[in-house]
Amino acid sequence: MAQEEESLVEARLAALCGRLHEWLVGAAYPLWSRQGVDPRNGGFVETLGQDGTPLRDPRRARVQPRQLTAFAKAPMLGWRGDVTGIVRRGVDYLVAHYRREDGLYRTLAGIDGHPLDERALLYDQAFVLLGFAAAAVALDARAEFEHRALDLRDQIEKQWRGATGGFRSGEVDVDRRESNPHMHLLEACLAWAQIGNDPGWAAWTDDIADLAVARFISPASGALGESFTPSWDAAPGTAGRIIEPGHQFEWAWLLLQCQRRNWPARRAHALRLIAVGEDAGVRGAVAINALLDDFSVHDPNARLWPQTERLKGALLAASITGDSRYSTYAAEAAASLFLYLDTLIAGLWLDLRLANGALVDSPAPASSFYHIVGGIAALGASLR
Protein backbone atom coordinates (compact mmCIF):
# COMPACT_ATOMS: atom_id res chain seq x y z
CA MET A 1 0.00 0.00 0.00
CA ALA A 2 1.32 3.42 -0.92
CA GLN A 3 2.09 5.93 1.80
CA GLU A 4 -0.83 8.11 0.74
CA GLU A 5 -3.24 5.19 1.00
CA GLU A 6 -1.87 4.27 4.43
CA SER A 7 -2.47 7.83 5.60
CA LEU A 8 -6.03 7.68 4.35
CA VAL A 9 -6.68 4.46 6.25
CA GLU A 10 -5.21 5.94 9.42
CA ALA A 11 -7.38 9.02 9.03
CA ARG A 12 -10.42 6.84 8.50
CA LEU A 13 -9.66 4.82 11.64
CA ALA A 14 -9.27 8.02 13.65
CA ALA A 15 -12.59 9.37 12.39
CA LEU A 16 -14.38 6.09 13.11
CA CYS A 17 -12.83 5.98 16.58
CA GLY A 18 -14.12 9.47 17.32
CA ARG A 19 -17.66 8.56 16.31
CA LEU A 20 -17.62 5.30 18.25
CA HIS A 21 -16.19 6.96 21.33
CA GLU A 22 -18.84 9.67 21.21
CA TRP A 23 -21.57 7.02 20.97
CA LEU A 24 -20.10 4.99 23.84
CA VAL A 25 -19.43 7.79 26.32
CA GLY A 26 -22.26 10.09 25.31
CA ALA A 27 -25.03 7.54 24.90
CA ALA A 28 -24.28 3.90 25.76
CA TYR A 29 -22.68 4.22 29.17
CA PRO A 30 -25.32 6.70 30.42
CA LEU A 31 -28.19 4.55 29.13
CA TRP A 32 -26.91 1.22 30.42
CA SER A 33 -25.97 2.69 33.80
CA ARG A 34 -29.56 3.99 34.18
CA GLN A 35 -31.55 1.17 32.63
CA GLY A 36 -29.16 -1.78 32.62
CA VAL A 37 -28.42 -1.87 36.34
CA ASP A 38 -31.10 -3.13 38.71
CA PRO A 39 -31.68 -0.27 41.18
CA ARG A 40 -32.83 -2.66 43.91
CA ASN A 41 -29.85 -4.98 44.09
CA GLY A 42 -27.15 -3.79 41.71
CA GLY A 43 -27.39 -6.74 39.34
CA PHE A 44 -27.16 -6.27 35.59
CA VAL A 45 -30.22 -6.86 33.44
CA GLU A 46 -30.09 -9.36 30.59
CA THR A 47 -31.66 -7.24 27.85
CA LEU A 48 -33.03 -3.79 27.06
CA GLY A 49 -35.94 -3.36 24.69
CA GLN A 50 -35.50 -1.03 21.76
CA ASP A 51 -37.50 1.54 23.76
CA GLY A 52 -34.74 1.46 26.38
CA THR A 53 -36.69 -0.37 29.08
CA PRO A 54 -35.24 -3.38 30.92
CA LEU A 55 -36.91 -6.70 30.14
CA ARG A 56 -37.70 -9.31 32.76
CA ASP A 57 -35.55 -12.04 31.28
CA PRO A 58 -33.69 -14.52 33.52
CA ARG A 59 -30.10 -13.47 34.11
CA ARG A 60 -27.23 -15.61 32.90
CA ALA A 61 -24.17 -15.78 35.11
CA ARG A 62 -21.90 -14.80 32.23
CA VAL A 63 -23.63 -11.44 31.73
CA GLN A 64 -22.81 -10.23 35.24
CA PRO A 65 -18.97 -10.32 34.93
CA ARG A 66 -19.17 -9.20 31.30
CA GLN A 67 -20.91 -6.02 32.46
CA LEU A 68 -18.42 -5.63 35.29
CA THR A 69 -15.67 -5.73 32.67
CA ALA A 70 -17.45 -3.23 30.41
CA PHE A 71 -18.07 -0.71 33.17
CA ALA A 72 -14.60 -1.14 34.70
CA LYS A 73 -13.11 0.19 31.44
CA ALA A 74 -15.31 3.30 31.51
CA PRO A 75 -12.92 5.71 33.33
CA MET A 76 -10.12 4.87 30.88
CA LEU A 77 -12.53 5.69 28.04
CA GLY A 78 -13.62 8.99 29.55
CA TRP A 79 -16.97 8.25 31.19
CA ARG A 80 -17.32 9.92 34.59
CA GLY A 81 -20.27 8.03 36.06
CA ASP A 82 -20.33 6.04 39.29
CA VAL A 83 -18.10 3.22 38.13
CA THR A 84 -16.95 2.30 41.62
CA GLY A 85 -20.51 1.95 42.89
CA ILE A 86 -21.69 0.02 39.85
CA VAL A 87 -18.78 -2.41 39.98
CA ARG A 88 -18.88 -2.98 43.74
CA ARG A 89 -22.64 -3.62 43.77
CA GLY A 90 -22.29 -5.80 40.69
CA VAL A 91 -19.66 -7.96 42.39
CA ASP A 92 -21.80 -8.28 45.50
CA TYR A 93 -24.78 -9.37 43.40
CA LEU A 94 -22.72 -11.90 41.44
CA VAL A 95 -21.30 -13.54 44.56
CA ALA A 96 -24.59 -13.49 46.47
CA HIS A 97 -26.77 -15.01 43.76
CA TYR A 98 -24.49 -17.17 41.63
CA ARG A 99 -21.74 -18.57 43.86
CA ARG A 100 -22.45 -22.10 45.03
CA GLU A 101 -21.24 -23.63 48.28
CA ASP A 102 -18.47 -25.46 46.41
CA GLY A 103 -17.05 -22.16 45.10
CA LEU A 104 -18.24 -22.56 41.49
CA TYR A 105 -20.85 -20.28 39.95
CA ARG A 106 -24.29 -21.49 38.81
CA THR A 107 -25.33 -20.59 35.30
CA LEU A 108 -28.75 -18.92 35.66
CA ALA A 109 -30.87 -16.98 38.14
CA GLY A 110 -34.17 -15.13 38.05
CA ILE A 111 -34.47 -11.38 38.29
CA ASP A 112 -35.05 -11.82 42.05
CA GLY A 113 -31.80 -13.78 42.33
CA HIS A 114 -33.52 -17.14 42.80
CA PRO A 115 -31.48 -19.99 41.24
CA LEU A 116 -32.96 -21.32 38.01
CA ASP A 117 -30.14 -23.60 36.85
CA GLU A 118 -27.68 -24.93 39.41
CA ARG A 119 -25.24 -26.34 36.87
CA ALA A 120 -21.78 -24.79 36.63
CA LEU A 121 -20.16 -24.26 33.21
CA LEU A 122 -16.52 -23.60 32.41
CA TYR A 123 -17.59 -20.72 30.15
CA ASP A 124 -19.20 -18.91 33.07
CA GLN A 125 -16.28 -19.54 35.45
CA ALA A 126 -13.93 -18.01 32.88
CA PHE A 127 -15.96 -14.83 32.82
CA VAL A 128 -16.11 -14.67 36.59
CA LEU A 129 -12.30 -14.78 36.60
CA LEU A 130 -12.25 -11.99 34.00
CA GLY A 131 -14.78 -9.92 35.93
CA PHE A 132 -12.73 -10.26 39.10
CA ALA A 133 -9.66 -8.97 37.23
CA ALA A 134 -11.62 -5.96 36.00
CA ALA A 135 -13.02 -5.29 39.48
CA ALA A 136 -9.55 -5.60 41.02
CA VAL A 137 -8.39 -2.65 38.94
CA ALA A 138 -11.58 -0.59 39.10
CA LEU A 139 -11.81 -0.89 42.89
CA ASP A 140 -8.05 -0.80 43.53
CA ALA A 141 -8.37 -4.10 45.39
CA ARG A 142 -6.02 -6.49 43.64
CA ALA A 143 -5.15 -8.65 46.65
CA GLU A 144 -8.82 -9.14 47.55
CA PHE A 145 -9.87 -10.16 44.08
CA GLU A 146 -6.83 -12.28 43.29
CA HIS A 147 -7.63 -14.31 46.40
CA ARG A 148 -11.17 -14.84 45.09
CA ALA A 149 -9.89 -15.67 41.62
CA LEU A 150 -7.36 -18.19 42.91
CA ASP A 151 -10.06 -19.96 44.92
CA LEU A 152 -12.13 -20.30 41.75
CA ARG A 153 -9.15 -21.36 39.65
CA ASP A 154 -8.38 -24.08 42.18
CA GLN A 155 -11.93 -25.43 41.89
CA ILE A 156 -11.69 -25.50 38.09
CA GLU A 157 -8.41 -27.40 38.34
CA LYS A 158 -9.73 -29.83 40.93
CA GLN A 159 -13.07 -30.64 39.31
CA TRP A 160 -12.65 -30.25 35.54
CA ARG A 161 -9.04 -30.88 34.50
CA GLY A 162 -9.00 -33.42 31.67
CA ALA A 163 -6.59 -36.31 31.26
CA THR A 164 -5.73 -35.23 27.71
CA GLY A 165 -5.16 -31.56 28.50
CA GLY A 166 -7.52 -28.66 29.01
CA PHE A 167 -10.80 -28.89 30.88
CA ARG A 168 -14.24 -30.36 30.67
CA SER A 169 -16.91 -27.85 29.71
CA GLY A 170 -18.62 -28.24 33.07
CA GLU A 171 -21.54 -30.15 34.45
CA VAL A 172 -23.24 -30.71 31.10
CA ASP A 173 -22.24 -32.87 28.11
CA VAL A 174 -19.39 -34.41 30.07
CA ASP A 175 -18.10 -36.24 26.98
CA ARG A 176 -17.80 -33.02 24.98
CA ARG A 177 -14.88 -30.63 24.90
CA GLU A 178 -15.11 -27.09 23.56
CA SER A 179 -12.58 -24.49 22.47
CA ASN A 180 -14.77 -21.48 23.31
CA PRO A 181 -14.65 -21.76 27.13
CA HIS A 182 -10.87 -22.18 26.89
CA MET A 183 -10.70 -18.99 24.82
CA HIS A 184 -12.29 -16.95 27.58
CA LEU A 185 -10.25 -18.77 30.21
CA LEU A 186 -7.16 -17.68 28.27
CA GLU A 187 -8.51 -14.13 28.17
CA ALA A 188 -8.95 -14.14 31.95
CA CYS A 189 -5.50 -15.62 32.58
CA LEU A 190 -3.90 -12.98 30.37
CA ALA A 191 -5.68 -10.27 32.37
CA TRP A 192 -4.52 -11.73 35.67
CA ALA A 193 -0.98 -12.29 34.41
CA GLN A 194 -0.75 -8.51 33.92
CA ILE A 195 -2.04 -7.48 37.34
CA GLY A 196 -1.69 -10.47 39.66
CA ASN A 197 1.12 -11.95 41.70
CA ASP A 198 0.56 -15.67 41.28
CA PRO A 199 2.85 -17.27 38.66
CA GLY A 200 0.15 -19.78 37.83
CA TRP A 201 -1.62 -17.22 35.64
CA ALA A 202 1.28 -17.15 33.18
CA ALA A 203 1.57 -20.93 33.31
CA TRP A 204 -2.13 -21.39 32.52
CA THR A 205 -1.81 -18.85 29.71
CA ASP A 206 0.97 -20.86 28.10
CA ASP A 207 -0.81 -24.18 28.60
CA ILE A 208 -4.03 -22.99 26.97
CA ALA A 209 -2.21 -21.30 24.09
CA ASP A 210 -0.24 -24.51 23.46
CA LEU A 211 -3.45 -26.55 23.61
CA ALA A 212 -5.04 -24.29 21.02
CA VAL A 213 -2.14 -24.69 18.62
CA ALA A 214 -1.91 -28.44 19.15
CA ARG A 215 -5.58 -29.41 19.34
CA PHE A 216 -8.05 -26.69 18.37
CA ILE A 217 -6.41 -25.57 15.12
CA SER A 218 -6.46 -27.88 12.12
CA PRO A 219 -2.92 -28.44 10.79
CA ALA A 220 -4.38 -28.87 7.30
CA SER A 221 -6.55 -25.75 7.01
CA GLY A 222 -5.28 -23.52 9.81
CA ALA A 223 -8.87 -23.00 10.99
CA LEU A 224 -9.98 -23.39 14.58
CA GLY A 225 -12.82 -25.75 15.48
CA GLU A 226 -15.47 -25.52 18.17
CA SER A 227 -16.48 -28.98 19.41
CA PHE A 228 -14.32 -31.98 20.25
CA THR A 229 -14.28 -35.41 21.87
CA PRO A 230 -12.48 -36.00 25.19
CA SER A 231 -9.36 -36.96 23.19
CA TRP A 232 -9.59 -33.64 21.29
CA ASP A 233 -10.63 -35.14 17.97
CA ALA A 234 -13.32 -33.22 16.08
CA ALA A 235 -16.76 -34.02 17.47
CA PRO A 236 -18.90 -36.27 15.27
CA GLY A 237 -21.41 -34.77 12.88
CA THR A 238 -21.92 -31.15 12.01
CA ALA A 239 -20.82 -29.90 15.44
CA GLY A 240 -17.26 -31.02 14.75
CA ARG A 241 -17.21 -29.23 11.40
CA ILE A 242 -18.33 -25.78 12.57
CA ILE A 243 -15.88 -22.90 12.17
CA GLU A 244 -16.92 -19.50 13.52
CA PRO A 245 -15.20 -16.55 11.81
CA GLY A 246 -15.64 -14.43 14.94
CA HIS A 247 -13.70 -16.95 16.95
CA GLN A 248 -10.91 -17.10 14.36
CA PHE A 249 -10.42 -13.37 14.97
CA GLU A 250 -10.85 -13.59 18.74
CA TRP A 251 -8.38 -16.43 19.14
CA ALA A 252 -5.93 -14.58 16.89
CA TRP A 253 -6.17 -11.51 19.13
CA LEU A 254 -5.44 -13.65 22.19
CA LEU A 255 -2.62 -15.71 20.67
CA LEU A 256 -0.89 -12.53 19.51
CA GLN A 257 -0.70 -11.53 23.19
CA CYS A 258 0.92 -14.85 24.19
CA GLN A 259 4.52 -13.95 23.45
CA ARG A 260 6.23 -15.60 26.40
CA ARG A 261 6.74 -19.05 24.86
CA ASN A 262 6.61 -20.61 21.37
CA TRP A 263 6.05 -17.14 19.94
CA PRO A 264 6.89 -17.81 16.26
CA ALA A 265 4.38 -20.67 16.07
CA ARG A 266 1.69 -18.75 17.93
CA ARG A 267 2.18 -15.71 15.73
CA ALA A 268 1.99 -17.77 12.55
CA HIS A 269 -1.15 -19.56 13.67
CA ALA A 270 -2.79 -16.31 14.73
CA LEU A 271 -2.17 -14.66 11.38
CA ARG A 272 -3.48 -17.75 9.60
CA LEU A 273 -6.66 -17.55 11.72
CA ILE A 274 -7.16 -13.96 10.57
CA ALA A 275 -6.64 -15.04 6.97
CA VAL A 276 -9.27 -17.77 7.35
CA GLY A 277 -11.69 -15.31 8.88
CA GLU A 278 -11.12 -12.66 6.22
CA ASP A 279 -10.96 -14.90 3.16
CA ALA A 280 -13.81 -17.28 3.98
CA GLY A 281 -15.82 -15.61 6.72
CA VAL A 282 -16.31 -12.00 5.64
CA ARG A 283 -19.23 -11.57 3.25
CA GLY A 284 -20.67 -8.20 2.30
CA ALA A 285 -18.21 -6.36 4.59
CA VAL A 286 -19.32 -8.25 7.72
CA ALA A 287 -18.06 -11.38 9.44
CA ILE A 288 -20.77 -14.02 9.19
CA ASN A 289 -21.74 -16.45 11.91
CA ALA A 290 -20.49 -19.85 10.79
CA LEU A 291 -18.71 -21.90 8.15
CA LEU A 292 -18.09 -25.60 7.78
CA ASP A 293 -14.60 -27.07 7.72
CA ASP A 294 -14.52 -26.97 3.90
CA PHE A 295 -15.12 -23.20 4.21
CA SER A 296 -18.64 -23.44 2.79
CA VAL A 297 -21.20 -21.18 4.46
CA HIS A 298 -23.16 -22.77 7.30
CA ASP A 299 -24.88 -19.66 8.74
CA PRO A 300 -24.79 -16.61 6.45
CA ASN A 301 -26.24 -14.22 9.01
CA ALA A 302 -23.96 -11.93 11.01
CA ARG A 303 -24.21 -11.11 14.68
CA LEU A 304 -22.72 -7.95 16.13
CA TRP A 305 -19.98 -9.49 18.27
CA PRO A 306 -17.83 -11.02 15.45
CA GLN A 307 -17.35 -7.52 14.03
CA THR A 308 -15.74 -6.31 17.26
CA GLU A 309 -13.43 -9.33 17.35
CA ARG A 310 -12.47 -8.77 13.74
CA LEU A 311 -11.55 -5.21 14.70
CA LYS A 312 -9.44 -6.26 17.70
CA GLY A 313 -7.58 -9.00 15.85
CA ALA A 314 -6.79 -6.77 12.87
CA LEU A 315 -5.58 -3.90 15.05
CA LEU A 316 -3.16 -6.08 17.00
CA ALA A 317 -1.91 -7.82 13.85
CA ALA A 318 -1.27 -4.41 12.25
CA SER A 319 0.71 -3.31 15.31
CA ILE A 320 2.82 -6.47 15.48
CA THR A 321 3.50 -7.00 11.78
CA GLY A 322 3.45 -3.45 10.41
CA ASP A 323 1.42 -4.82 7.48
CA SER A 324 -1.07 -2.16 6.42
CA ARG A 325 -3.63 -4.63 5.06
CA TYR A 326 -4.61 -5.36 8.65
CA SER A 327 -5.36 -1.67 9.17
CA THR A 328 -7.66 -1.86 6.16
CA TYR A 329 -9.45 -4.85 7.73
CA ALA A 330 -9.74 -2.90 10.98
CA ALA A 331 -11.25 0.12 9.27
CA GLU A 332 -13.82 -2.06 7.53
CA ALA A 333 -14.69 -3.79 10.81
CA ALA A 334 -15.04 -0.48 12.69
CA ALA A 335 -17.29 0.91 9.97
CA SER A 336 -19.48 -2.20 10.07
CA LEU A 337 -20.36 -1.56 13.72
CA PHE A 338 -22.53 1.38 12.74
CA LEU A 339 -24.86 -0.99 10.91
CA TYR A 340 -25.78 -2.42 14.31
CA LEU A 341 -25.69 0.81 16.34
CA ASP A 342 -28.20 2.66 14.15
CA THR A 343 -31.14 2.52 16.57
CA LEU A 344 -33.96 4.91 17.44
CA ILE A 345 -32.57 5.36 20.94
CA ALA A 346 -28.84 6.05 20.95
CA GLY A 347 -26.83 3.68 23.10
CA LEU A 348 -28.67 0.51 22.07
CA TRP A 349 -27.81 -1.97 19.32
CA LEU A 350 -29.35 -4.56 17.08
CA ASP A 351 -27.76 -7.97 17.40
CA LEU A 352 -28.35 -9.73 14.09
CA ARG A 353 -27.92 -8.82 10.43
CA LEU A 354 -29.47 -11.20 7.93
CA ALA A 355 -27.74 -12.34 4.77
CA ASN A 356 -29.88 -9.94 2.73
CA GLY A 357 -28.57 -6.99 4.79
CA ALA A 358 -31.68 -6.46 6.91
CA LEU A 359 -31.22 -5.94 10.66
CA VAL A 360 -33.55 -7.90 12.93
CA ASP A 361 -35.59 -5.66 15.24
CA SER A 362 -35.00 -7.30 18.62
CA PRO A 363 -33.97 -6.36 22.18
CA ALA A 364 -30.37 -5.38 22.83
CA PRO A 365 -28.53 -8.16 24.69
CA ALA A 366 -26.36 -6.88 27.52
CA SER A 367 -23.81 -9.58 26.69
CA SER A 368 -22.74 -7.62 23.59
CA PHE A 369 -21.63 -4.57 25.59
CA TYR A 370 -18.42 -6.29 26.66
CA HIS A 371 -17.55 -6.93 23.01
CA ILE A 372 -18.38 -3.37 21.92
CA VAL A 373 -16.40 -1.75 24.73
CA GLY A 374 -13.44 -4.02 24.04
CA GLY A 375 -13.43 -3.14 20.36
CA ILE A 376 -13.67 0.61 20.95
CA ALA A 377 -11.00 0.48 23.67
CA ALA A 378 -8.64 -1.42 21.35
CA LEU A 379 -9.22 1.07 18.55
CA GLY A 380 -8.52 4.03 20.80
CA ALA A 381 -5.35 2.43 22.18
CA SER A 382 -4.08 1.69 18.69
CA LEU A 383 -4.23 5.37 17.74
CA ARG A 384 -2.34 6.70 20.74
Side-chain angles (χ1 to χ4, degrees), residues 140-154:
D140 193 21
R142 299 189 184 196
E144 171 194 345
F145 282 98
E146 186 167 24
H147 177 73
R148 296 188 187 202
L150 289 172
D151 283 346
L152 177 54
R153 196 185 77 187
D154 287 346

Side-chain angles (χ1 to χ4, degrees), residues 183-204:
M183 180 180 73
H184 292 297
L185 193 58
L186 175 58
E187 182 181 16
C189 290
L190 280 166
W192 274 111
Q194 289 184 336
I195 67 169
N197 290 315
D198 188 271
W201 299 116
W204 275 44

Side-chain angles (χ1 to χ4, degrees), residues 17-243:
C17 183
R19 290 174 60 197
L20 288 167
H21 185 269
E22 181 180 2
W23 173 89
L24 178 62
V25 174
Y29 272 130
L31 176 62
W32 285 87
S33 65
R34 291 193 311 269
Q35 299 293 90
V37 180
D38 193 321
R40 293 170 299 174
N41 54 34
F44 298 106
V45 305
E46 183 78 14
T47 46
L48 292 183
Q50 287 299 323
D51 61 356
T53 59
L55 303 184
R56 298 180 63 81
D57 296 324
R59 297 174 183 172
R60 293 174 293 168
R62 64 196 61 180
V63 168
Q64 304 304 310
R66 280 184 182 227
Q67 291 295 75
L68 288 175
T69 303
F71 276 100
K73 293 181 184 293
M76 174 187 71
L77 292 165
W79 189 61
R80 304 305 177 202
D82 181 23
V83 170
T84 299
I86 290 170
V87 171
R88 174 53 72 183
R89 294 186 69 213
V91 167
D92 291 344
Y93 179 85
L94 170 66
V95 173
H97 296 297
Y98 294 88
R99 190 177 188 274
R100 306 189 319 191
E101 290 186 2
D102 64 358
L104 297 172
Y105 287 73
R106 63 178 59 90
T107 190
L108 189 68
I111 60 173
D112 61 356
H114 181 74
L116 296 178
D117 189 338
E118 282 287 353
R119 293 176 301 175
L121 305 177
L122 180 62
Y123 189 99
D124 296 333
Q125 316 312 306
F127 272 109
V128 173
L129 290 175
L130 184 65
F132 282 164
V137 175
L139 301 177
D140 193 21
R142 299 189 184 196
E144 171 194 345
F145 282 98
E146 186 167 24
H147 177 73
R148 296 188 187 202
L150 289 172
D151 283 346
L152 177 54
R153 196 185 77 187
D154 287 346
Q155 287 302 314
I156 295 170
E157 175 71 36
K158 182 187 304 182
Q159 299 197 36
W160 293 340
R161 172 69 75 176
T164 55
F167 302 92
R168 293 192 290 115
S169 295
E171 298 167 348
V172 61
D173 295 332
V174 295
D175 290 330
R176 182 182 178 189
R177 301 289 184 270
E178 298 171 295
S179 59
N180 193 14
H182 288 81
M183 180 180 73
H184 292 297
L185 193 58
L186 175 58
E187 182 181 16
C189 290
L190 280 166
W192 274 111
Q194 289 184 336
I195 67 169
N197 290 315
D198 188 271
W201 299 116
W204 275 44
T205 293
D206 282 328
D207 288 347
I208 297 169
D210 287 345
L211 182 68
V213 169
R215 300 290 194 172
F216 303 162
I217 298 173
S218 165
S221 69
L224 184 137
E226 298 289 328
S227 298
F228 301 86
T229 68
S231 59
W232 293 110
D233 296 314
T238 301
R241 298 189 61 201
I242 296 293
I243 294 168

Side-chain angles (χ1 to χ4, degrees), residues 265-279:
R266 292 172 182 177
R267 181 183 186 274
H269 281 290
L271 296 181
R272 175 57 185 158
L273 290 175
I274 291 176
V276 168
E278 290 290 340
D279 295 343

Side-chain angles (χ1 to χ4, degrees), residues 302-365:
R303 293 191 63 193
L304 166 58
W305 71 263
Q307 320 318 317
T308 68
E309 302 314 307
R310 182 187 181 203
L311 173 61
K312 287 158 53 181
L315 289 169
L316 188 51
S319 173
I320 287 174
T321 67
D323 188 333
S324 57
R325 64 179 159 155
Y326 296 112
S327 297
T328 300
Y329 298 154
E332 188 173 273
S336 73
L337 295 181
F338 291 100
L339 299 171
Y340 300 85
L341 305 184
D342 183 15
T343 55
L344 290 176
I345 296 179
L348 296 172
W349 45 85
L350 297 169
D351 182 62
L352 183 65
R353 186 176 189 258
L354 301 179
N356 64 7
L359 273 293
V360 176
D361 185 6
S362 61

